[in-house]
């Protein structure tokens, strides 16, 4: 195989009634690339689909010329697989990248099998098929499965932490159960938004609307408005949980507990590419802060612990105000 580039004459391994012409006709119209190597390991035949794929002449491909098209990173493995199988007279299967006529490398799957002529070993016959799309799909699936596994583990850890914190606070069992379910709903809303974003950054407006839905279904006491901005996956979960705590507090003690109360959620992007999201209550009973030692406040502070993030609570005359500051994410960013 590593010998001289021997442009041996094509000697078909089988001949039907139509002879050599029939063999060429079959080989050149086959929907796969076909090659043959003689007992000396040198290629002495390739069919038309092979030449159309590589964009080279038959003279360039014969002997060891076909190896010129193998990707450098696959060269040694390809040669070793071929020569090991050839010496053992055993079939082989391998994949490698082969240079196409446009200069790009495509993954191909190569099957080779020894054949005999008149009872004696005569060389190898092989076929190649382009599996590049299959390879890319498989790699994408692997990455997605790894990411899904990572997200599920993180989610289970978060649920466990929420359960531990919620049920240790000393609330009545019914109240603790209600709070826990609300927090799970907020996490679900964040993960729904993440699923729509295929694991990438989340549209902030979509996230706010999803978290608000179970708390302000009629929309009369709640508004949300802001620029089209993106939130990283990790920050989206923290923000969803924080907003859920604010909505829960507003329903129990704040603006949403009153028929005249109203909640406005607004966000803008400043010159430093930071999102400024403001939760503002009005028209409800006198403002009452979240217990700063409780889980609700700790969840809100969680966003502040994100890189560059800040969460601030304020008791304004009209009601509770909470401000979040955090960096803008880009649509192309991952889940970090």
């Amino acid at each position: 195989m590593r010998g001289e580039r021997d442009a041996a004459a094509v000697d078909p391994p089988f001949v039907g009634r139509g002879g050599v012409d029939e063999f060429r006709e079959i080989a050149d119209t086959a929907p796969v690339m076909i090659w043959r190597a003689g007992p000396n390991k040198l290629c002495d035949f390739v069919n038309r689909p092979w030449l159309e794929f590589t964009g080279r002449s038959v003279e360039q491909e014969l002997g060891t010329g076909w190896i010129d098209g193998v990707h450098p990173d696959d060269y040694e493995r390809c040669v070793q697989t071929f020569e090991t199988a050839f010496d053992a007279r055993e079939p082989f299967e391998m994949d490698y990248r082969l240079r196409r006529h446009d200069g790009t490398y495509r993954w191909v799957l190569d099957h080779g099998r020894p054949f005999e002529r008149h009872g004696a070993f005569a060389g190898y016959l092989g076929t190649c098929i382009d599996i590049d799309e299959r390879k890319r799909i498989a790699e994408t699936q692997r990455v997605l499965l790894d990411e899904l596994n990572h997200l599920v583990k993180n989610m289970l850890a978060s649920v466990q932490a929420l359960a531990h914190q919620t049920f240790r606070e000393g609330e009545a069992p019914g109240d603790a159960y209600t709070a826990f379910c609300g927090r799970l709903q907020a996490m679900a809303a964040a993960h729904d938004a993440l699923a729509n974003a295929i694991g990438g950054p989340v549209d902030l407006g979509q996230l706010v609307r999803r978290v608000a839905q179970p708390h302000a279904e009629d929309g009369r006491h709640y508004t949300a408005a802001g620029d089209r901005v993106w939130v990283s996956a990790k920050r989206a979960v923290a923000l969803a949980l924080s907003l859920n705590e604010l909505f829960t507090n507003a329903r129990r003690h704040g603006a949403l507990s009153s028929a005249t109360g109203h909640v406005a959620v607004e966000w803008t992007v400043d010159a430093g590419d930071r999102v400024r999201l403001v939760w503002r209550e009005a028209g409800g009973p006198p403002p009452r802060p979240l217990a700063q030692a409780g889980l609700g406040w700790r969840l809100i502070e969680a966003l502040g612990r994100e890189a560059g993030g800040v969460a601030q609570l304020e008791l304004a005359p009209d009601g509770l105000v909470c401000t979040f500051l955090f960096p803008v994410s880009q649509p192309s960013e991952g889940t970090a």
Side-chain angles (χ1 to χ4, degrees):
M1 185 175 189
R2 292 176 174 171
E4 293 299 321
R5 201 166 287 193
D6 192 3
V10 175
D11 183 14
F14 66 88
V15 178
R17 292 180 180 177
V20 173
D21 290 340
E22 182 181 28
F23 168 72
R24 289 184 182 279
E25 182 180 73
I26 294 172
D28 286 343
T29 56
V32 295
M33 296 182 281
I34 298 175
W35 57 267
R36 191 187 69 172
N40 57 2
K41 301 181 183 178
L42 299 177
C43 178
D44 59 15
F45 174 81
V46 289
N47 68 341
R48 181 177 295 125
W50 181 289
L51 298 176
E52 290 173 348
F53 181 92
T54 63
R56 285 157 51 98
S57 69
V58 66
E59 290 78 16
Q60 290 174 306
E61 296 297 294
L62 294 185
T64 59
W66 66 275
I67 305 176
D68 293 344
V70 176
H71 193 284
D73 292 345
D74 301 330
Y75 177 88
E76 290 297 332
R77 175 176 58 84
C78 181
V79 171
Q80 183 178 8
T81 300
F82 179 85
E83 292 192 341
T84 299
F86 200 103
D87 292 339
R89 306 291 194 265
E90 293 179 347
F92 69 84
E93 175 184 309
M94 62 177 170
D95 57 9
Y96 54 89
R97 284 160 290 184
L98 187 64
R99 188 173 58 241
R100 197 169 59 178
H101 57 82
D102 58 2
T104 62
Y105 283 94
R106 305 275 295 182
W107 283 99
V108 298
L109 181 62
D110 196 339
H111 290 270
R113 175 177 295 275
F115 71 93
E116 294 183 353
R117 187 180 299 119
H118 308 304
F121 172 66
Y124 265 70
L125 272 172
T127 60
C128 279
I129 57 174
D130 186 332
I131 60 166
D132 199 74
E133 292 303 322
R134 186 194 309 175
K135 273 273 191 180
R136 295 182 189 279
I137 291 172
E139 176 62 17
T140 299
Q141 290 175 335
R142 185 193 65 78
V143 171
L144 289 176
L145 284 174
D146 287 347
E147 182 63 25
L148 178 61
N149 184 50
H150 176 71
L151 288 173
V152 168
K153 286 181 178 179
N154 284 348
M155 182 180 67
L156 290 176
S158 298
V159 170
Q160 184 179 31
L162 279 180
H164 179 71
Q165 293 290 341
T166 300
F167 292 105
R168 71 180 290 205
E169 291 196 325
E171 288 188 278
D175 292 339
Y177 175 77
T178 300
F180 181 62
C181 288
R183 287 158 184 161
L184 286 183
Q185 281 185 321
M187 286 187 66
H191 283 282
D192 280 345
L194 285 171
N196 288 340
I198 319 180
V202 174
D203 182 291
L204 178 57
Q206 182 187 72
L207 178 67
V208 173
R209 288 189 292 272
R210 285 181 180 274
V211 176
Q213 187 174 7
H215 298 283
E217 294 180 357
D218 57 12
R220 290 179 300 170
H221 303 289
Y222 153 76
T223 57
D227 302 329
R228 180 82 183 276
V229 296
W230 303 92
V231 182
S232 70
K234 187 175 181 181
R235 188 169 288 115
V237 175
L239 183 58
L241 289 169
S242 300
L243 289 173
N244 175 72
E245 295 304 311
L246 290 169
F247 271 116
T248 300
N249 186 71
R251 289 176 62 182
R252 290 181 178 179
H253 314 293
L256 295 182
S257 68
S258 168
T260 59
H262 182 267
V263 169
V265 184
E266 299 176 343
W267 59 92
T268 57
V269 180
D270 64 22
D273 280 340
R274 290 194 312 171
V275 180
R276 178 184 179 86
L277 184 147
V278 180
W279 166 283
R280 193 182 305 276
E281 298 183 28
R288 170 182 171 178
L290 291 171
Q292 294 201 4
L295 178 60
W297 171 243
R298 291 199 298 275
L299 286 173
I300 290 175
E301 282 190 315
L303 187 65
R305 290 194 296 269
E306 295 287 336
V310 176
Q312 298 174 333
L313 279 175
E314 176 188 354
L315 293 180
D318 290 336
L320 185 68
V321 177
C322 187
T323 303
F324 299 96
L325 295 171
F326 50 88
V328 175
S329 296
Q330 299 302 320
S332 59
E333 286 182 15
T335 58

